[in-house]
Amino acid sequence: MYQILKPIVDILLQVLVFFNKYVNNWGCSIVLLTIVVKIVLLPLAIKQTKSMENMKKWQPEITKLQQKYKNDKEKLGKETMKFYSENKINPLGGCLPLLLQMPIFFALFRLLAHGGPVSSELEGASFLGIYSLTASFSSALHAGQGLIGCAPFVALLLLMMASQYVMQKMMTADPKQEKMMLPMTAVMAVIAYSLPAGLLIYWVVFNILSVAQQYCIVKTLKLDAGV
């Protein structure tokens, strides 16, 4: 797995080291790296948003089909696919760009986690009250950091949950999926509990930028459509 991700890890490492050379702060360098990643992924984000907005537009018609054939799953499947085909809807159009982003996230995990290429530098780096960028909320508790030492990790975790929830709400087209947002956010929080702070900073900044980006893209699409 690492050999597959290694080219991406190497590129991200070079960008991270480049920024740190000028700002001399690993936390700020991670924020700048996140901005660069977000810019690189912008074409995928625009494609994803267009697909999501298209799905939202047709959602009332899809809901009618679901109500009409709620007792016949086979017929519902055929009619839904027929509806997608007639209206040139790609139901995976919103998911595919998201999946293509996953290798970057896994490469960042390899880069910023314990044992990564800059692990020793990040271990001794503090940022906004976080005593080590390789420490997690879980490890801070086990290390007996106390209330003051753990407070930045709690704030980071809450920011991740809030930004994740808002981002999901903005990108969800299906009302049924909205019911899953809170449980999904809770699952993300459990995962984030053991993630290194450096990766969590990337996650939070990425979410906040995604929310701002989503707002701007939707606004532009509506202006273009004369809405």
Side-chain angles (χ1 to χ4, degrees):
M1 182 69 175
Y2 176 64
Q3 290 304 319
I4 298 172
L5 296 175
K6 191 174 183 309
I8 305 175
V9 173
D10 289 343
I11 293 171
L12 294 173
L13 174 61
Q14 288 180 25
V15 176
L16 186 66
V17 171
F18 171 80
F19 283 131
N20 192 61
K21 182 180 175 183
Y22 290 96
V23 300
N24 195 30
N25 182 301
W26 287 105
C28 289
S29 301
I30 291 171
V31 173
L32 292 171
L33 173 65
T34 311
I35 294 171
V36 170
V37 170
K38 201 66 193 161
I39 292 171
V40 171
L41 294 176
L42 183 59
L44 286 177
I46 293 173
K47 188 178 175 64
Q48 182 184 16
T49 304
K50 283 182 177 177
S51 180
M52 288 288 185
E53 289 303 301
N54 199 31
M55 283 293 290
K56 282 182 182 177
K57 185 177 75 176
W58 292 112
Q59 190 58 47
E61 300 301 322
I62 295 170
T63 303
K64 286 179 185 174
L65 282 178
Q66 290 170 341
Q67 288 295 321
K68 186 176 180 180
Y69 300 108
K70 62 182 178 183
N71 296 321
D72 189 343
K73 298 292 183 188
E74 187 177 347
K75 183 72 174 174
L76 173 62
K78 287 180 180 177
E79 290 298 320
T80 303
M81 293 310 295
K82 182 182 173 186
F83 183 82
Y84 286 157
S85 176
E86 289 175 351
N87 294 285
K88 299 179 180 177
I89 298 172
N90 180 3
L92 298 178
C95 300
L96 195 56
L98 192 64
L99 292 175
L100 291 174
Q101 297 173 29
M102 294 308 291
I104 295 177
F105 186 80
F106 289 129
L108 276 163
F109 181 82
R110 181 69 185 85
L111 175 63
L112 302 176
H114 275 295
V118 285
S119 178
S120 58
E121 290 87 346
L122 295 180
E123 190 171 357
S126 59
F127 182 65
L128 297 177
I130 298 167
Y131 67 94
S132 169
L133 291 175
T134 57
S136 65
F137 188 10
S138 170
S139 66
L141 283 175
H142 284 96
Q145 283 295 315
L147 187 61
I148 295 176
C150 289
F153 291 93
V154 175
L156 206 52
L157 196 59
L158 291 175
L159 270 174
M160 186 283 296
M161 292 174 69
S163 59
Q164 187 73 28
Y165 180 82
V166 173
M167 187 178 71
Q168 287 178 339
K169 192 167 181 60
M170 291 178 77
M171 295 182 174
T172 301
D174 188 348
K176 289 182 179 177
Q177 292 179 6
E178 290 188 11
K179 296 177 183 175
M180 295 299 296
M181 287 193 307
L182 279 177
M184 281 298 293
T185 303
V187 170
M188 296 291 183
V190 172
I191 295 171
Y193 174 71
S194 300
L195 289 180
L199 190 61
L200 207 47
I201 289 169
Y202 167 83
W203 195 346
V204 169
V205 175
F206 190 90
N207 282 354
I208 292 172
L209 291 175
S210 295
V211 169
Q213 177 186 269
Q214 183 75 4
Y215 176 81
C216 293
I217 294 174
V218 171
K219 195 86 173 172
T220 304
L221 290 175
K222 286 182 176 178
L223 283 174
D224 290 345
V227 178

